[in-house]
Amino acid sequence: MRETFRLFAAVKPTARYLVAGSPTGLTGVYTHSSPRSTLLYLYSRTLEKLQAFPESSLYRQSIEALTKHRLSIVESASPPGYEEWAAQARQIARENPRQFHVTTSASSARPAERAAVLQVESGGRLFVHRSDPDPEDARLEEWDGERDEGPNAEGLRGEEDRREHELLFDRQPTTPDKKIAWEREPQLTADQVEEIENKIGGGLIEEVVQRAESELRLVDIMYESKVWEDLEEKPAEGQWTYFERH
């Protein structure tokens, strides 16, 4: 099935490229638009979070080794024109610091009222991340206790209202002064995607991305559970030896 859908990749003069959003052959799974940068970010964040575990933790040792192995596979596959694009992207970010906020966490710096572009630092790498505000539902908003005084109660009714009114004139504009011409990241060729899939051995690259997302969430759960500590209830003697040869 996978080989059949690879044959339908869009044909370009020198290489075949997969079309983002096209079916992969798996129900509900569509071709990822930027799997390489997504995997680099997820693996970097996983390795970063594992640093909080003791070095003696078997969980840290196994996941760290596996993640580093997969990270090296993804890093080795560089799309055509990637180095030139990365140099241009870094220059644009330096020249427009107002439009590209720097943070170490994409979630903690997410603006509440508008979309923004963030530079997320992780594992010594810099990722450009678009942060969109969560959709609002007026039905879920709680009443703040303010009494509705009707349409006739207009105007500034106190010092607090006057201060809020003055902020409207002092507030800095949130929209950028100019539009930035940002080119999309170069795509992996179909052959490079297939090479990554074969080396990792985890199915389609979209499945690899889903698994990396789950592993990143699992790290937080394992840390909260303190998996490196001894069991509260000690196992019975010989419980783990029934598979040994005699």
Side-chain angles (χ1 to χ4, degrees), residues 11-95:
V11 178
K12 293 190 177 182
T14 57
R16 295 183 300 124
Y17 291 83
L18 302 179
V19 180
S22 60
T24 61
L26 299 177
T27 302
V29 180
Y30 299 93
T31 302
H32 202 287
S33 59
S34 54
R36 183 178 185 270
S37 58
T38 301
L39 286 173
L40 289 177
Y41 173 74
L42 293 173
Y43 289 150
S44 298
R45 288 290 294 150
T46 299
L47 292 173
E48 196 172 53
K49 289 188 176 184
L50 285 173
Q51 299 302 311
F53 289 70
E55 294 184 359
S56 58
S57 170
L58 293 178
Y59 173 77
R60 171 181 172 174
Q61 295 173 8
S62 59
I63 299 301
E64 200 170 46
L66 179 63
T67 303
K68 287 181 177 179
H69 172 66
R70 292 180 175 177
L71 179 62
S72 64
I73 293 175
V74 177
E75 282 183 323
S76 63
S78 182
Y82 176 79
E83 296 299 332
E84 294 79 4
W85 173 86
Q88 182 180 5
R90 284 192 291 267
Q91 181 179 356
I92 292 176
R94 286 194 299 267
E95 294 175 352

Side-chain angles (χ1 to χ4, degrees), residues 214-225:
S214 299
E215 290 170 350
L216 180 59
R217 290 192 295 267
L218 181 60
V219 171
D220 293 330
I221 297 175
M222 300 297 275
Y223 182 77
E224 292 177 1
S225 302

Side-chain angles (χ1 to χ4, degrees), residues 200-242:
I200 292 181
L204 299 179
I205 198 168
E206 288 77 17
E207 295 178 276
V208 176
V209 170
Q210 291 178 348
R211 191 171 295 109
E213 292 172 342
S214 299
E215 290 170 350
L216 180 59
R217 290 192 295 267
L218 181 60
V219 171
D220 293 330
I221 297 175
M222 300 297 275
Y223 182 77
E224 292 177 1
S225 302
K226 299 182 179 180
V227 294
W228 59 87
E229 295 184 349
D230 293 334
L231 297 175
E232 294 182 0
E233 297 183 6
K234 301 296 181 182
E237 185 177 356
Q239 179 175 345
W240 309 113
T241 59
Y242 49 82

Side-chain angles (χ1 to χ4, degrees), residues 154-224:
E154 298 181 356
L156 303 178
R157 298 184 298 275
E159 189 65 27
E160 183 178 353
D161 289 345
R162 295 182 184 277
R163 285 197 300 268
E164 293 180 357
H165 190 70
E166 292 174 356
L167 290 176
L168 295 176
F169 298 95
D170 298 334
R171 183 177 299 171
Q172 296 295 327
T174 57
T175 56
D177 300 330
K178 61 179 180 179
K179 291 186 177 180
I180 300 174
W182 182 267
E183 296 183 6
R184 293 182 61 86
E185 177 184 354
Q187 302 179 48
L188 292 168
T189 65
D191 294 334
Q192 287 178 315
V193 171
E194 186 174 358
E195 181 182 1
I196 293 176
E197 292 171 347
N198 292 335
K199 287 183 177 179
I200 292 181
L204 299 179
I205 198 168
E206 288 77 17
E207 295 178 276
V208 176
V209 170
Q210 291 178 348
R211 191 171 295 109
E213 292 172 342
S214 299
E215 290 170 350
L216 180 59
R217 290 192 295 267
L218 181 60
V219 171
D220 293 330
I221 297 175
M222 300 297 275
Y223 182 77
E224 292 177 1

